[in-house]
Coordinates of all heavy atoms in Angstrom, one line a residue:
M10 N 0.8 -1.2 0.0 CA 0.0 0.0 0.0 C 0.9 1.2 0.0 O 0.6 2.1 -0.7 CB -0.9 0.0 1.2 CG -1.8 1.1 1.3 SD -3.2 0.9 0.2 CE -4.2 2.3 0.6
L11 N 1.9 1.3 0.9 CA 2.7 2.5 0.9 C 3.6 2.7 -0.4 O 3.9 3.8 -0.7 CB 3.6 2.4 2.1 CG 3.0 2.5 3.5 CD1 4.0 2.4 4.6 CD2 2.3 3.9 3.6
S12 N 3.9 1.6 -1.0 CA 4.7 1.7 -2.2 C 3.9 2.4 -3.4 O 4.4 3.0 -4.3 CB 5.2 0.3 -2.7 OG 4.1 -0.5 -3.0
N13 N 2.5 2.2 -3.4 CA 1.7 2.8 -4.4 C 1.1 4.2 -4.0 O 0.5 4.9 -4.8 CB 0.5 1.9 -4.8 CG 1.0 0.7 -5.6 OD1 2.1 0.8 -6.3 ND2 0.3 -0.4 -5.5
D14 N 1.3 4.6 -2.8 CA 0.8 5.8 -2.2 C 1.4 7.0 -3.0 O 0.7 8.0 -3.3 CB 1.0 5.9 -0.7 CG 0.3 7.1 -0.1 OD1 -0.9 7.3 -0.5 OD2 0.8 7.7 0.8
W15 N 2.6 7.0 -3.3 CA 3.3 8.1 -4.0 C 2.6 8.2 -5.4 O 2.5 9.4 -5.9 CB 4.8 7.9 -4.1 CG 5.1 6.7 -5.0 CD1 5.3 5.4 -4.6 CD2 5.3 6.7 -6.4 NE1 5.6 4.6 -5.7 CE2 5.6 5.4 -6.8 CE3 5.2 7.7 -7.4 CZ2 5.8 5.0 -8.2 CZ3 5.4 7.3 -8.7 CH2 5.7 6.0 -9.1
K16 N 2.3 7.1 -6.0 CA 1.7 7.2 -7.3 C 0.3 7.8 -7.4 O 0.0 8.7 -8.2 CB 1.6 5.7 -7.9 CG 1.2 5.7 -9.3 CD 1.3 4.2 -9.8 CE 1.0 4.2 -11.3 NZ 1.1 2.7 -11.8
V17 N -0.5 7.5 -6.4 CA -1.8 8.1 -6.2 C -1.7 9.7 -6.0 O -2.4 10.5 -6.6 CB -2.6 7.5 -5.1 CG1 -3.9 8.2 -4.8 CG2 -2.9 6.0 -5.4
R18 N -0.8 10.0 -5.1 CA -0.5 11.4 -4.8 C 0.0 12.2 -6.0 O -0.4 13.3 -6.3 CB 0.4 11.6 -3.7 CG -0.2 11.3 -2.3 CD 0.7 11.6 -1.2 NE 2.1 11.1 -1.5 CZ 3.0 10.8 -0.7 NH1 2.8 10.9 0.6 NH2 4.2 10.3 -1.1
A19 N 0.9 11.5 -6.8 CA 1.4 12.2 -8.0 C 0.3 12.4 -9.0 O 0.2 13.4 -9.7 CB 2.5 11.3 -8.6
I20 N -0.6 11.4 -9.2 CA -1.7 11.6 -10.1 C -2.6 12.7 -9.7 O -3.1 13.5 -10.5 CB -2.5 10.2 -10.2 CG1 -1.6 9.2 -11.0 CG2 -3.8 10.4 -11.0 CD1 -2.1 7.8 -10.9
E21 N -2.9 12.7 -8.4 CA -3.8 13.8 -7.9 C -3.2 15.2 -8.1 O -3.8 16.1 -8.5 CB -4.1 13.6 -6.4 CG -5.0 12.4 -6.2 CD -5.2 12.1 -4.7 OE1 -4.5 12.7 -3.8 OE2 -6.0 11.2 -4.3
R22 N -1.8 15.3 -7.8 CA -1.2 16.5 -7.9 C -1.1 16.9 -9.5 O -1.3 18.1 -9.7 CB 0.3 16.3 -7.5 CG 1.0 17.6 -7.2 CD 2.3 17.4 -6.4 NE 3.1 16.2 -6.9 CZ 3.4 15.2 -6.2 NH1 2.9 15.0 -5.0 NH2 4.2 14.2 -6.7
R23 N -1.0 16.0 -10.3 CA -1.0 16.3 -11.7 C -2.3 16.9 -12.2 O -2.3 17.9 -12.9 CB -0.7 15.0 -12.6 CG -0.6 15.4 -14.1 CD -0.4 14.1 -14.9 NE -1.7 13.4 -14.9 CZ -1.8 12.1 -15.1 NH1 -0.8 11.3 -15.4 NH2 -3.1 11.6 -15.1
F24 N -3.4 16.3 -11.7 CA -4.7 16.8 -12.1 C -4.9 18.2 -11.4 O -5.5 19.1 -12.1 CB -5.9 15.9 -11.6 CG -6.0 14.7 -12.5 CD1 -6.0 13.4 -11.9 CD2 -6.1 14.8 -13.9 CE1 -6.1 12.3 -12.7 CE2 -6.3 13.7 -14.7 CZ -6.2 12.4 -14.1
E25 N -4.5 18.4 -10.2 CA -4.6 19.7 -9.6 C -3.8 20.7 -10.3 O -4.3 21.9 -10.6 CB -4.1 19.6 -8.1 CG -4.3 20.9 -7.3 CD -3.8 20.8 -5.9 OE1 -3.4 19.6 -5.5 OE2 -3.8 21.8 -5.2
N26 N -2.6 20.4 -10.7 CA -1.7 21.3 -11.4 C -2.3 21.7 -12.8 O -2.3 22.9 -13.2 CB -0.3 20.8 -11.7 CG 0.5 20.8 -10.4 OD1 0.2 21.5 -9.4 ND2 1.5 20.0 -10.4
K27 N -3.0 20.7 -13.4 CA -3.6 20.9 -14.7 C -4.8 22.0 -14.6 O -4.9 22.9 -15.4 CB -4.1 19.6 -15.3 CG -4.6 19.7 -16.7 CD -5.0 18.3 -17.2 CE -5.5 18.4 -18.6 NZ -5.8 17.1 -19.2
E28 N -5.6 21.8 -13.6 CA -6.7 22.7 -13.3 C -6.2 24.1 -12.9 O -6.8 25.0 -13.3 CB -7.6 22.1 -12.2 CG -8.4 20.9 -12.5 CD -9.4 21.2 -13.6 OE1 -10.1 22.2 -13.6 OE2 -9.5 20.3 -14.5
L29 N -5.1 24.2 -12.1 CA -4.6 25.5 -11.8 C -4.1 26.2 -13.0 O -4.2 27.4 -13.1 CB -3.5 25.3 -10.7 CG -4.1 24.9 -9.3 CD1 -2.9 24.6 -8.4 CD2 -4.9 26.0 -8.7
K30 N -3.4 25.5 -13.9 CA -2.9 26.1 -15.1 C -4.1 26.6 -15.9 O -4.0 27.7 -16.5 CB -2.0 25.1 -15.9 CG -0.7 24.9 -15.3 CD 0.1 23.9 -16.1 CE 1.4 23.6 -15.4 NZ 2.2 22.6 -16.1
K31 N -5.1 25.9 -16.0 CA -6.3 26.2 -16.8 C -6.9 27.5 -16.2 O -7.2 28.5 -16.9 CB -7.3 25.1 -16.8 CG -8.5 25.4 -17.7 CD -9.6 24.4 -17.4 CE -9.8 23.5 -18.6 NZ -10.9 22.5 -18.4
R32 N -7.0 27.5 -14.9 CA -7.6 28.7 -14.2 C -6.7 29.9 -14.3 O -7.2 31.0 -14.5 CB -7.8 28.4 -12.7 CG -8.4 29.5 -11.9 CD -9.8 29.7 -12.2 NE -10.4 30.7 -11.4 CZ -11.1 31.7 -11.9 NH1 -11.6 31.7 -13.1 NH2 -11.6 32.6 -11.1
N33 N -5.4 29.7 -14.3 CA -4.5 30.8 -14.5 C -4.7 31.5 -15.9 O -4.7 32.7 -16.0 CB -3.0 30.3 -14.3 CG -2.0 31.4 -14.2 OD1 -2.4 32.6 -14.0 ND2 -0.8 31.1 -14.4
V34 N -4.8 30.6 -16.9 CA -5.1 31.1 -18.3 C -6.4 31.9 -18.3 O -6.4 33.0 -18.9 CB -5.1 30.0 -19.3 CG1 -5.6 30.5 -20.6 CG2 -3.6 29.4 -19.4
E35 N -7.4 31.4 -17.7 CA -8.7 32.1 -17.7 C -8.6 33.4 -17.0 O -9.2 34.4 -17.5 CB -9.8 31.2 -16.9 CG -10.2 30.0 -17.7 CD -11.0 29.0 -16.9 OE1 -11.2 29.4 -15.7 OE2 -11.5 28.0 -17.4
I36 N -7.9 33.5 -15.9 CA -7.8 34.8 -15.1 C -7.0 35.7 -16.0 O -7.3 37.0 -16.0 CB -7.2 34.5 -13.8 CG1 -8.2 33.8 -12.9 CG2 -6.7 35.8 -13.1 CD1 -7.6 33.3 -11.6
T37 N -5.9 35.3 -16.6 CA -5.1 36.2 -17.4 C -5.9 36.8 -18.5 O -5.8 38.0 -18.8 CB -3.9 35.4 -17.9 OG1 -3.1 34.9 -16.8 CG2 -3.0 36.3 -18.7
E38 N -6.7 35.9 -19.3 CA -7.4 36.4 -20.4 C -8.5 37.4 -19.9 O -8.7 38.4 -20.5 CB -8.2 35.3 -21.1 CG -7.2 34.4 -21.9 CD -7.9 33.2 -22.4 OE1 -9.1 33.0 -22.2 OE2 -7.3 32.4 -23.2
S39 N -9.2 37.1 -18.7 CA -10.2 38.0 -18.2 C -9.6 39.4 -17.8 O -10.1 40.4 -18.1 CB -10.8 37.4 -17.0 OG -11.7 38.3 -16.4
R40 N -8.4 39.3 -17.2 CA -7.7 40.5 -16.8 C -7.4 41.4 -18.0 O -7.5 42.6 -18.0 CB -6.5 40.2 -16.0 CG -5.7 41.4 -15.5 CD -4.3 41.1 -15.0 NE -3.5 40.7 -16.2 CZ -2.6 39.8 -16.1 NH1 -2.3 39.2 -14.9 NH2 -1.9 39.4 -17.1
D41 N -6.8 40.7 -19.0 CA -6.5 41.5 -20.3 C -7.7 42.1 -20.9 O -7.6 43.2 -21.4 CB -5.8 40.5 -21.2 CG -4.4 40.1 -20.7 OD1 -3.9 40.8 -19.8 OD2 -3.8 39.1 -21.2
K42 N -8.8 41.4 -20.9 CA -10.0 42.0 -21.5 C -10.5 43.2 -20.7 O -10.9 44.2 -21.3 CB -11.2 40.9 -21.5 CG -10.9 39.9 -22.6 CD -12.1 38.9 -22.6 CE -11.8 37.7 -23.5 NZ -12.9 36.7 -23.3
W43 N -10.5 43.1 -19.4 CA -11.0 44.2 -18.5 C -10.0 45.4 -18.7 O -10.5 46.6 -18.7 CB -11.1 43.8 -17.1 CG -12.4 43.1 -16.9 CD1 -12.6 41.8 -16.7 CD2 -13.7 43.7 -16.8 NE1 -13.9 41.5 -16.5 CE2 -14.6 42.6 -16.6 CE3 -14.2 45.0 -17.0 CZ2 -16.0 42.8 -16.5 CZ3 -15.5 45.2 -16.8 CH2 -16.4 44.1 -16.6
K44 N -8.7 45.1 -18.8 CA -7.7 46.2 -18.9 C -7.9 46.9 -20.3 O -7.9 48.1 -20.3 CB -6.3 45.6 -18.9 CG -5.3 46.7 -19.0 CD -3.9 46.0 -18.8 CE -2.8 47.1 -18.8 NZ -1.5 46.6 -18.7
A45 N -8.2 46.2 -21.3 CA -8.4 46.8 -22.6 C -9.7 47.6 -22.6 O -9.7 48.8 -23.1 CB -8.6 45.7 -23.7
K46 N -10.7 47.1 -21.9 CA -12.0 47.9 -21.8 C -11.7 49.2 -21.0 O -12.2 50.2 -21.4 CB -13.0 47.0 -21.1 CG -14.4 47.6 -21.0 CD -15.4 46.7 -20.4 CE -16.8 47.2 -20.3 NZ -17.7 46.3 -19.7
Y47 N -11.0 49.1 -19.9 CA -10.7 50.3 -19.1 C -9.9 51.3 -19.9 O -10.2 52.5 -19.9 CB -9.9 49.9 -17.9 CG -9.2 51.0 -17.2 CD1 -9.9 51.9 -16.4 CD2 -7.8 51.3 -17.4 CE1 -9.3 53.0 -15.8 CE2 -7.2 52.4 -16.8 CZ -8.0 53.2 -16.0 OH -7.4 54.3 -15.4
M48 N -8.9 50.9 -20.7 CA -8.0 51.8 -21.5 C -8.9 52.5 -22.5 O -8.8 53.7 -22.8 CB -6.9 51.1 -22.1 CG -5.9 50.5 -21.1 SD -5.2 51.7 -19.9 CE -4.0 52.4 -21.0
S49 N -9.8 51.7 -23.1 CA -10.7 52.3 -24.1 C -11.6 53.4 -23.5 O -11.8 54.5 -24.0 CB -11.6 51.2 -24.7 OG -12.5 51.7 -25.6
N50 N -12.2 53.1 -22.3 CA -13.1 54.0 -21.7 C -12.3 55.2 -21.2 O -12.8 56.4 -21.3 CB -13.8 53.4 -20.5 CG -14.9 52.4 -20.9 OD1 -15.4 52.5 -22.0 ND2 -15.2 51.5 -20.0
K51 N -11.1 55.0 -20.8 CA -10.2 56.1 -20.3 C -10.0 57.1 -21.4 O -10.1 58.3 -21.2 CB -8.9 55.6 -19.8 CG -8.0 56.6 -19.2 CD -6.7 56.0 -18.6 CE -5.8 57.1 -18.2 NZ -4.5 56.5 -17.7
S52 N -9.7 56.6 -22.6 CA -9.4 57.5 -23.7 C -10.7 58.2 -24.1 O -10.6 59.4 -24.5 CB -8.9 56.7 -24.9 OG -9.8 55.8 -25.4
E53 N -11.8 57.6 -24.1 CA -13.1 58.3 -24.4 C -13.3 59.4 -23.4 O -13.8 60.5 -23.7 CB -14.2 57.3 -24.4 CG -14.3 56.4 -25.5 CD -15.4 55.4 -25.4 OE1 -16.4 55.6 -24.7 OE2 -15.3 54.3 -26.1
V54 N -13.0 59.2 -22.1 CA -13.3 60.2 -21.1 C -12.4 61.4 -21.3 O -12.8 62.5 -21.1 CB -13.0 59.6 -19.6 CG1 -12.9 60.7 -18.6 CG2 -14.1 58.6 -19.3
V55 N -11.1 61.1 -21.7 CA -10.2 62.3 -22.0 C -10.7 63.1 -23.1 O -10.8 64.3 -23.0 CB -8.8 61.7 -22.3 CG1 -7.9 62.8 -22.8 CG2 -8.2 61.1 -21.1
I56 N -11.2 62.5 -24.1 CA -11.8 63.2 -25.3 C -13.0 64.0 -24.9 O -13.1 65.2 -25.3 CB -12.1 62.2 -26.5 CG1 -10.8 61.6 -27.0 CG2 -12.9 62.9 -27.5 CD1 -11.0 60.5 -28.0
L57 N -13.9 63.3 -24.1 CA -15.2 64.0 -23.7 C -14.8 65.2 -22.8 O -15.5 66.3 -22.9 CB -16.1 63.0 -23.0 CG -16.7 62.0 -24.0 CD1 -17.5 61.0 -23.1 CD2 -17.6 62.6 -25.0
R58 N -13.9 65.1 -21.9 CA -13.5 66.2 -21.0 C -13.0 67.4 -21.8 O -13.2 68.5 -21.5 CB -12.5 65.7 -20.0 CG -13.2 64.9 -18.9 CD -12.3 64.8 -17.7 NE -13.0 64.0 -16.7 CZ -12.4 63.4 -15.7 NH1 -11.1 63.5 -15.6 NH2 -13.1 62.7 -14.8
A59 N -12.2 67.1 -22.9 CA -11.6 68.1 -23.7 C -12.8 68.9 -24.4 O -12.7 70.1 -24.5 CB -10.6 67.5 -24.7
E60 N -13.7 68.1 -24.9 CA -14.8 68.7 -25.6 C -15.7 69.5 -24.6 O -16.1 70.6 -24.9 CB -15.8 67.6 -26.2 CG -15.1 66.9 -27.4 CD -16.0 65.8 -28.0 OE1 -17.1 65.6 -27.4 OE2 -15.6 65.1 -28.9
M61 N -15.8 69.1 -23.4 CA -16.6 69.8 -22.4 C -15.9 71.1 -22.0 O -16.5 72.1 -21.9 CB -16.8 68.9 -21.1 CG -17.7 69.5 -20.1 SD -18.1 68.4 -18.7 CE -16.5 68.1 -18.0
D62 N -14.6 71.0 -21.9 CA -13.8 72.3 -21.6 C -14.0 73.3 -22.7 O -14.1 74.5 -22.4 CB -12.3 71.9 -21.3 CG -12.2 71.2 -20.0 OD1 -13.0 71.3 -19.2 OD2 -11.1 70.6 -19.9
A63 N -13.9 72.8 -23.9 CA -14.0 73.7 -25.1 C -15.5 74.4 -25.1 O -15.6 75.6 -25.3 CB -13.9 73.0 -26.4
I64 N -16.5 73.6 -24.8 CA -17.8 74.1 -24.7 C -18.0 75.2 -23.6 O -18.6 76.2 -23.7 CB -18.9 73.0 -24.5 CG1 -18.9 72.1 -25.8 CG2 -20.3 73.5 -24.2 CD1 -19.7 70.8 -25.7
K65 N -17.3 74.9 -22.4 CA -17.4 75.8 -21.3 C -16.8 77.1 -21.7 O -17.3 78.2 -21.3 CB -16.7 75.2 -20.1 CG -17.5 74.2 -19.3 CD -16.8 73.6 -18.1 CE -17.5 72.6 -17.4 NZ -16.8 72.1 -16.2
K66 N -15.6 77.1 -22.4 CA -15.0 78.3 -22.8 C -15.8 79.1 -23.7 O -15.9 80.3 -23.7 CB -13.6 78.0 -23.5 CG -12.6 77.5 -22.5 CD -11.3 77.2 -23.3 CE -10.2 76.7 -22.3 NZ -9.0 76.3 -23.0
K67 N -16.5 78.4 -24.7 CA -17.4 79.1 -25.6 C -18.6 79.8 -24.9 O -19.0 80.9 -25.2 CB -17.9 78.2 -26.7 CG -16.8 77.7 -27.7 CD -17.4 76.8 -28.7 CE -16.3 76.4 -29.7 NZ -16.8 75.4 -30.7
I68 N -19.1 79.0 -23.9 CA -20.2 79.6 -23.1 C -19.7 80.9 -22.3 O -20.5 81.9 -22.3 CB -20.8 78.5 -22.2 CG1 -21.5 77.5 -22.9 CG2 -21.7 79.2 -21.1 CD1 -22.0 76.3 -22.1
K69 N -18.6 80.8 -21.8 CA -18.0 82.0 -21.1 C -17.8 83.2 -22.0 O -18.1 84.3 -21.6 CB -16.7 81.6 -20.4 CG -16.9 80.8 -19.1 CD -15.5 80.5 -18.4 CE -15.7 79.7 -17.2 NZ -14.4 79.5 -16.5
Q70 N -17.4 82.9 -23.2 CA -17.2 84.0 -24.2 C -18.5 84.6 -24.5 O -18.6 85.8 -24.7 CB -16.5 83.4 -25.4 CG -15.0 83.1 -25.3 CD -14.4 82.5 -26.5 OE1 -15.1 82.1 -27.4 NE2 -13.1 82.3 -26.5
I71 N -19.5 83.8 -24.7 CA -20.9 84.3 -25.0 C -21.4 85.1 -23.9 O -22.0 86.2 -24.2 CB -21.8 83.1 -25.4 CG1 -21.4 82.4 -26.7 CG2 -23.2 83.6 -25.5 CD1 -22.1 81.2 -27.1
I72 N -21.3 84.6 -22.7 CA -21.8 85.4 -21.5 C -21.1 86.7 -21.4 O -21.7 87.7 -21.0 CB -21.7 84.5 -20.2 CG1 -22.6 83.3 -20.3 CG2 -21.9 85.4 -19.0 CD1 -22.4 82.3 -19.2
E73 N -19.8 86.8 -21.6 CA -19.0 88.0 -21.5 C -19.4 89.1 -22.5 O -19.1 90.3 -22.3 CB -17.5 87.7 -21.5 CG -17.0 86.9 -20.3 CD -15.6 86.5 -20.4 OE1 -15.0 86.8 -21.4 OE2 -15.1 85.9 -19.4
M74 N -19.9 88.7 -23.6 CA -20.3 89.6 -24.6 C -21.4 90.5 -24.2 O -21.9 91.1 -23.7 CB -20.7 89.0 -25.9 CG -19.6 88.3 -26.6 SD -20.2 87.6 -28.1 CE -18.7 87.5 -29.0

């Protein structure tokens, strides 16, 4: 029994490592997708803020007239 115990543990460890590697790939892909989404939204926010500042300046110019 003890002579085969290492074999059973090695098989279990192999399956566990396989599952962990699979999960690691899933997490990495998910993180990359969310990061890309964040970067896209961040660039949109920068553009919208610039447009908003331009509109505010135009409004101030109109009010000062």
Side-chain angles (χ1 to χ4, degrees):
M10 182 79 176
L11 291 176
S12 62
N13 288 334
D14 190 39
W15 66 269
K16 190 174 183 179
V17 172
R18 288 187 312 206
I20 291 170
E21 289 173 356
R22 196 169 44 245
R23 184 186 71 201
F24 286 127
E25 182 181 356
N26 287 341
K27 188 175 180 180
E28 289 296 319
L29 289 173
K30 286 179 183 178
K31 182 191 253 185
R32 182 68 180 138
N33 192 15
V34 169
E35 291 172 355
I36 290 172
T37 303
E38 289 175 356
S39 175
R40 183 194 64 214
D41 291 342
K42 287 178 187 177
W43 280 105
K44 184 177 180 180
K46 186 176 180 179
Y47 165 77
M48 295 304 280
S49 173
N50 287 341
K51 182 180 175 184
S52 63
E53 288 178 21
V54 167
V55 169
I56 292 169
L57 291 174
R58 284 192 179 163
E60 289 176 4
M61 187 172 60
D62 289 340
I64 292 171
K65 284 181 180 180
K66 286 180 184 179
K67 288 180 183 180
I68 290 174
K69 284 183 181 179
Q70 288 175 352
I71 292 172
I72 291 175
E73 290 176 357
M74 291 181 156

